[in-house]
Structure formats: structure tokens, C-alpha cells
């Protein structure tokens, strides 16, 4: 058993941000805090992104606190750029990330500490900062006929390159940024593409400043404070209309259909009689928070979400902080959340003054 003050799970943007602020607050890696990451190398979820997603086209890459990201080649894959940047960051600040370490469960020890179980032993921590993100939990909704469709079905997590869809009839499902990016990419080589979403997409034109950003975060935060699962970012902010998207819409690539009612052996059908043949269904339907290892702590509310009573602190257990969940589920938000979580963890770790008299 390893005793530690703070355990940080995950070494993506949120985990590294928290580790940085812990170190800056005077806590030492390996003695006072430990960072556990299940990935094979630095880079968080970025290291798994498809090669065609270049740094210049990537949406949402933000600098980590204390180190700038400058001079990156916009034509290089974002997976390579971010992995190298994170690796340099870990070494510069001596964060000593342990990997690959798979955390199987976090449970209450009964003596005030949290037991972090891993395949290589257990850690007993006074506080936990969880920054496991969503990449490990791709979400595919259930629709009738999925089991009989004879073509290929894959989630965006399994996407590698547009050439895999050359000459294919492809249905892209989902209304987020990744759905639009991949739809436009695939349309260049596919025999035909069809875009379907549950709700009509809302394209955002014009500036998206601090006021709009704060309003979007407030909407997400409200749901989390009510114990409801957080909504997707796009459902709050809308899709930013870029020049490439405007051109694709003019070509008809972004003509959207409502969600189909079921799949058949050779395509999708709607109850109004519409039928579209397809060779591939690409589920660009997002991800869910990877929090199964926290199940023994019983943190969820009746509404299905985990209620936070601050930016990161779990209402049911103030020893636990979540980064990358709800209002901090963005690269910019992760930096702010790391600072906030460490500030509150430090208050938790301060010894209680002995009673006088």
C-alpha cells in the first residue's frame, strides 16, 4: 500500500494542469502526489486522434499552464504535436507520470482515505483529482436493425483516414464538430454521403466572445449542479461556421436529414417511406465520461449525473474532484479547473486546529 496526499487519475490536459498546480503549491511528485495514466505515452486523448486531423485543423488545442506551445507545424498530425508537447511538459516540470497504470476502482478505506486500486498495487490518498476524460467511452445509441445491417459500423474513435471510405455510400450520424469535419473529409472520396442528426444543427456565425462563453458554461454548470448528466458542448454553443463549412454547405454536403427510424440489411429507412442505401454507418455520436472506476463511491444523483457544488468538487464526497466533467469539459476549462481543484484540495489537506482547553 502506497500512502499519498493526492492521487491524480489521468494525464491529459486536466490531469497535467492539476499536477502543475500541485507542484507549484509545494507538493512533491511521488512523495505528496502521484499521477496515474493508463495511456501508453504522453498526449492524453490527442495521441489517439486520426492522422488526417492536422494541428492546423484541430479544434480546441490549448496551452497547458506555465508553458507555451509555439512553432508547431500546422500540417503535422495533431496527435504528434500534442504528444510531444505533453511529453516536454511532463519532463520540464518533473511530474513523474506513472504509465501505463489502469485504475480499476476507487473506494472508501473507512479511515478517511480513498483507496485507489490498480493492476500494480493500491494507493491510499486523502484527496482524489479525477481527470479521465471521455475517450475511453465512445457512445453509440441503440436503433432497431443495427444487428442486421451488413455493412460496416464504426465510431469516430475508430476513424483513421478518409481513403477507407473511397467509393462507399456513407451515412454520418451526429451533429457535433467531429461529425461535420469527418463528413466533409469523407465526401471528397465517397460515392455518396448522407448526414443525419436528431436535432436540426445550429450554425453559429460571428464572434464567440467571453460573454457567450460564460453563458454556455453557465448552462452546462446548471445541469451539473442539479445532478443531471452534462450536455454536449455543441448543444450549448452551436457549430462555428467556417469557410470550409460554408463551401461544403453550398455543395450540398451539409444537407441534413432527420434521424432514421431503423437500419436494414442494406441501409437506413424512415417511417415516412424514405430509404437510403449505405455501405458504412459512421457514428459520430460523442462520448460519455469515463467514471466507472468511481462507482464504489456512489457519487451519482437520482438524475443520473454527479452533482458538483463548485467547479470541480463532488457534492457527495468533498475529497473527490472531477476535471473534464461538465463545465470544465474543454481544454481551456481544464486549466481553470486544475487551479480550482488544487486550491480546494489544499484547504482539505490543512490539519484541523486542536481544540483549546
Amino acid at each position: 500500500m502506497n500512502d499519498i496526499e493526492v492521487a491524480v487519475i489521468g494525464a491529459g490536459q486536466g490531469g497535467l494542469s492539476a499536477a502543475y498546480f500541485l507542484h507549484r503549491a509545494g507538493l512533491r511528485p511521488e512523495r505528496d502526489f502521484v499521477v496515474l495514466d493508463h495511456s501508453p505515452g504522453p498526449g492524453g486523448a490527442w495521441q489517439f486522434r486520426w492522422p488526417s486531423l492536422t494541428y492546423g485543423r484541430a479544434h480546441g488545442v490549448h496551452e497547458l499552464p506555465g508553458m507555451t506551445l509555439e512553432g508547431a507545424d500546422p500540417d503535422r498530425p495533431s496527435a504528434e504535436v500534442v504528444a510531444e508537447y505533453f511529453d516536454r511538459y511532463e519532463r520540464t516540470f518533473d511530474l513523474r507520470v506513472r504509465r501505463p497504470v489502469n485504475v480499476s476502482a476507487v473506494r472508501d478505506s473507512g479511515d478517511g482515505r480513498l483507496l485507489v486500486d490498480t493492476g500494480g498495487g493500491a494507493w491510499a490518498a486523502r484527496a482524489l483529482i479525477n481527470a479521465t476524460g471521455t475517450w475511453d467511452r465512445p457512445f453509440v445509441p441503440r436503433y432497431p436493425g443495427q444487428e442486421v445491417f451488413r455493412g460496416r459500423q464504426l465510431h469516430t474513435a475508430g476513424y483513421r483516414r478518409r481513403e477507407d471510405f473511397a467509393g462507399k455510400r456513407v451515412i454520418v450520424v451526429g451533429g457535433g464538430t467531429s461529425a461535420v469535419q469527418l463528413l466533409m473529409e469523407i465526401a471528397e472520396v465517397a460515392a455518396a454521403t448522407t448526414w443525419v442528426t436528431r436535432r436540426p444543427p445550429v450554425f453559429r456565425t460571428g464572434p464567440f466572445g467571453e460573454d457567450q462563453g460564460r453563458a454556455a458554461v453557465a448552462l452546462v454548470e446548471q445541469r451539473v449542479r442539479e445532478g443531471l448528466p452534462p450536455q454536449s458542448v455543441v448543444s450549448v454553443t452551436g457549430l462555428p461556421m467556417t469557410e470550409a463549412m460554408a463551401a461544403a454547405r453550398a455543395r450540398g454536403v451539409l444537407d441534413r436529414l432527420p434521424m432514421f427510424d431503423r437500419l436494414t440489411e442494406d441501409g437506413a429507412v424512415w417511417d415516412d417511406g424514405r430509404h437510403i442505401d449505405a455501405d458504412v454507418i459512421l457514428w459520430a455520436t460523442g462520448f460519455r465520461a469515463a467514471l466507472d472506476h468511481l462507482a464504489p463511491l456512489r457519487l451519482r444523483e437520482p438524475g443520473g449525473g454527479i452533482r458538483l457544488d463548485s467547479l470541480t468538487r463532488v457534492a457527495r464526497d468533498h475529497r473527490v474532484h472531477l476535471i473534464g466533467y461538465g463545465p470544465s469539459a474543454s481544454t481551456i476549462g481544464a486549466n481553470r479547473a486544475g487551479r480550482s481543484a488544487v486550491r480546494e484540495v489544499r484547504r482539505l489537506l490543512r490539519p484541523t486546529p486542536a481544540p483549546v482547553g
Side-chain angles (χ1 to χ4, degrees):
M1 179 74 68
N2 303 290
D3 288 330
I4 207 78
E5 294 289 272
V6 186
V8 180
I9 305 178
Q13 186 97 19
L16 293 184
S17 172
Y20 168 84
F21 288 111
L22 285 169
H23 205 178
R24 200 173 75 167
L27 281 76
R28 287 181 284 181
E30 295 292 322
R31 193 199 75 168
D32 301 314
F33 73 90
V34 65
V35 184
L36 309 174
D37 186 46
H38 84 124
S39 297
W46 284 102
Q47 65 191 284
F48 305 113
R49 303 284 181 172
W50 48 94
S52 61
L53 182 62
T54 59
Y55 176 65
R57 296 175 58 196
H59 174 72
V61 180
H62 192 72
E63 293 178 343
L64 288 158
M67 179 182 285
T68 59
L69 174 56
E70 296 177 340
D73 183 350
D75 295 325
R76 288 188 67 200
S78 59
E80 296 178 5
V81 172
V82 177
E84 291 175 4
Y85 172 56
F86 280 23
D87 179 55
R88 187 168 69 253
Y89 190 87
E90 292 177 16
R91 288 186 283 106
T92 298
F93 295 108
D94 191 30
L95 299 180
R96 306 186 192 182
V97 178
R98 293 190 172 218
R99 60 169 61 90
V101 175
N102 292 311
V103 175
S104 56
V106 179
R107 61 188 81 250
D108 193 323
S109 68
D111 63 358
R113 288 182 173 264
L114 295 163
L115 294 182
V116 181
D117 295 327
T118 77
W123 297 82
R126 294 178 62 194
L128 174 73
I129 297 177
N130 189 89
T132 46
T134 62
W135 186 260
D136 295 323
R137 285 202 62 198
F139 172 70
V140 176
R142 295 300 305 165
Y143 276 88
Q146 283 171 299
E147 67 284 355
V148 303
F149 178 66
R150 293 181 300 190
R152 181 187 179 196
Q153 296 186 59
L154 76 158
H155 188 273
T156 49
Y159 181 90
R160 302 307 296 163
R161 56 181 193 154
R162 66 180 183 178
E163 287 76 16
D164 295 335
F165 303 88
K168 305 291 186 181
R169 299 163 298 180
V170 184
I171 296 177
V172 177
V173 182
T177 303
S178 293
V180 174
Q181 288 177 340
L182 296 183
L183 175 65
M184 293 191 299
E185 189 170 299
I186 292 169
E188 296 177 1
V189 299
T193 58
T194 303
W195 184 29
V196 300
T197 68
R198 287 192 300 125
R199 292 182 296 269
V202 176
F203 291 97
R204 188 183 74 240
T205 58
F208 188 80
E210 291 185 6
D211 290 342
Q212 293 91 338
R214 280 194 293 267
V217 169
L219 290 173
V220 176
E221 190 171 5
Q222 180 181 348
R223 284 183 59 87
V224 171
R225 286 186 180 275
E226 294 173 355
L228 300 172
Q231 292 178 308
S232 67
V233 175
V234 169
S235 69
V236 178
T237 64
L239 290 161
M241 177 58 73
T242 65
E243 290 185 10
M245 290 168 63
R249 187 161 68 169
R251 298 194 306 270
V253 173
L254 298 185
D255 290 345
R256 167 261 180 191
L257 292 177
M259 193 64 203
F260 50 73
D261 292 292
R262 60 192 178 281
L263 293 175
T264 63
E265 291 183 351
D266 57 3
V269 296
W270 287 253
D271 285 345
D272 62 7
R274 187 197 311 262
H275 177 273
I276 291 180
D277 292 330
D279 304 299
V280 182
I281 309 295
L282 175 60
W283 298 96
T285 43
F287 299 79
R288 297 292 183 264
L291 300 175
D292 290 350
H293 57 290
L294 301 182
L297 297 177
R298 301 181 181 277
L299 304 177
R300 293 195 180 274
E301 302 291 334
I306 296 178
R307 185 165 63 89
L308 305 181
D309 58 13
S310 72
L311 179 61
T312 63
R313 189 177 59 197
V314 175
R316 286 178 178 255
D317 193 328
H318 283 184
R319 298 170 297 177
V320 181
H321 288 259
L322 303 184
I323 299 180
Y325 181 84
S328 65
S330 69
T331 51
I332 297 176
N335 287 355
R336 174 171 164 248
R339 182 188 295 111
S340 176
V342 169
R343 186 184 304 119
E344 293 184 349
V345 164
R346 289 183 66 197
R347 285 198 290 265
L348 176 72
L349 297 180
R350 288 177 189 150
T352 303
V356 178

